[in-house]
Amino acid sequence: MSIQHAAELIRAGRLVAFPTETVYGLGANALDPAAVARIFAAKGRPRTSPLIVHVESAAMAREFASAWPDAAGTLAHRYWPGPLTLVLPKRAIIPDIVTAGLPTVGLRVPAHPLALELIRAAGVPIAAPSANRFTELSPTAAGHIPEELADYTLDGGPARVGIESTVLSLAAGPLLLRPGVIPVTEIEALIGPVEIAAAAGEGPHASPGMHERHYRPRTPLYLGAPPAEGRGLILELPADPREFASVLYDRLHTADAEGWDWIAMALPPDTPEWAGVRDRLRRAGSVGLPADKGER
Ligand code: AMP
Ligand code: MG
């Protein structure tokens, strides 16, 4: 029954927090500008930051993209449902508020069964950023979601992937806007060379929403050497990049609630497999770090 209730709320223009395999989303009917406006208000998210539109299949994605290059077909076939967002030219039916006025739309088929059921039951595409307040840590469990953010929350257990999707623009030449758990080298093996957008905070942003301070715990996070003062926690995380991503936000949420003066952890290596995790750590950390060279 909960899916039906959630779907009715979506159709009525309300907000539903729902599980995906990356992080929990705060969803609204992507075709309803007033409903989408509620997402920005609830999160305190600037209207310059576009939202990802969640669909149940590649066929449904094509209803909202005005172009579908071969690379989109190849990548959708290989990765959907899964943690890859494709940015494509949008059709007029997608309201401007969803895309921050851009002529492109970010589309993704999430892999969580409850997310797919919700989209199917609602019968509309669901625009959803992470279900957290702007700049705070993303939720990877229903218990991480701030109360009163959503009208209703679907609990689908812990998010398996644990960090936000890889965002790849195919609006012009392939351009990686945000790294995730899929290594860019793997994408290149399928569609050829991919340009990598400059990291946020270093010149103009390649897309809105690439805010430098994002994904932040409340406790200062040190990457590398911990400070000499205060009571801190040194986090030890798995040596495998996917396992690391899977537990990262949950470990930070827990550490944040424990009231330490600081949290410290080692920065993983600068390789394509770790690019998604390093991107989130860089934005979460209080110690400035050089940009990844993105060598592949
Ligand atoms: P979030 O919802 O916080 O996971 O962020 C969504 C990410 O997707 C941000 O990095 C956005 O910049 C990116 N994104 C979504 N839609 C578009 C778009 N139309 N053009 C460029 N980037 C987009
Ligand atoms: Mg977010």
Side-chain angles (χ1 to χ4, degrees):
M1 274 320 285
S2 59
I3 287 278
Q4 286 312 321
H5 178 58
E8 278 163 29
L9 288 172
I10 291 285
R11 283 196 299 270
R14 312 304 292 269
L15 303 186
V16 173
F18 65 100
T20 84
E21 81 283 25
T22 61
V23 303
Y24 275 69
L26 182 64
N29 177 356
L31 305 180
D32 178 347
V36 173
R38 289 205 176 103
I39 295 178
F40 287 96
K43 284 185 58 99
R45 178 175 172 114
R47 295 254 187 132
T48 49
S49 196
L51 304 181
I52 293 168
V53 174
H54 296 74
V55 291
E56 59 105 7
S57 62
M60 188 173 179
R62 295 182 72 162
E63 293 176 36
F64 306 110
S66 66
W68 188 256
D70 289 346
T74 302
L75 294 171
H77 182 74
R78 168 68 179 80
Y79 291 111
W80 286 354
L84 177 68
T85 297
L86 296 179
V87 172
L88 292 158
K90 82 175 188 78
R91 291 201 204 230
I93 189 174
I94 297 290
D96 287 338
I97 187 171
V98 172
T99 67
L102 295 169
T104 53
V105 59
L107 293 159
R108 180 168 101 82
V109 180
H112 198 291
L114 288 186
L116 293 171
E117 280 183 50
L118 178 64
I119 299 163
R120 284 180 196 130
V124 292
I126 297 183
S130 48
N132 55 305
R133 296 207 178 80
F134 183 61
T135 77
E136 293 181 358
L137 273 182
S138 295
T140 55
H144 297 158
I145 302 171
E147 271 181 50
E148 323 222 312
L149 203 62
D151 295 302
Y152 187 71
T153 298
L154 281 171
D155 188 344
R160 180 170 52 78
V161 170
I163 64 171
E164 299 79 358
S165 60
T166 299
V167 180
L168 182 77
S169 175
L170 297 174
L175 176 66
L176 185 74
L177 295 175
R178 177 174 74 185
V181 297
I182 301 170
V184 71
T185 41
E186 201 181 286
I187 294 174
E188 290 187 317
L190 291 167
I191 64 164
V194 172
E195 198 185 326
I196 298 185
E202 303 179 4
H205 295 182
S207 87
M210 298 172 76
H211 299 272
E212 191 178 6
R213 297 177 73 165
H214 215 143
Y215 319 110
R216 265 187 320 181
R218 291 184 302 276
T219 315
L221 174 66
Y222 288 80
L223 301 169
E229 308 284 298
R231 267 178 71 257
L233 175 70
I234 297 177
L235 274 182
E236 302 269 359
L237 284 145
D240 173 79
R242 284 192 183 246
E243 286 173 29
F244 188 116
S246 173
V247 299
L248 173 63
Y249 289 155
D250 187 63
R251 300 287 298 275
L252 290 175
H253 275 286
T254 302
D256 233 2
E258 290 171 349
W260 302 98
D261 296 325
W262 47 261
I263 306 165
M265 60 200 292
L267 184 69
D270 183 4
T271 64
E273 290 72 26
W274 286 100
V277 157
R278 284 175 61 101
D279 170 76
R280 303 314 183 276
L281 288 178
R282 184 177 302 100
R283 298 190 215 200
S286 31
V287 177
L289 290 161
D292 284 0
K293 289 197 286 294
E295 276 165 12
R296 327 164 234 160

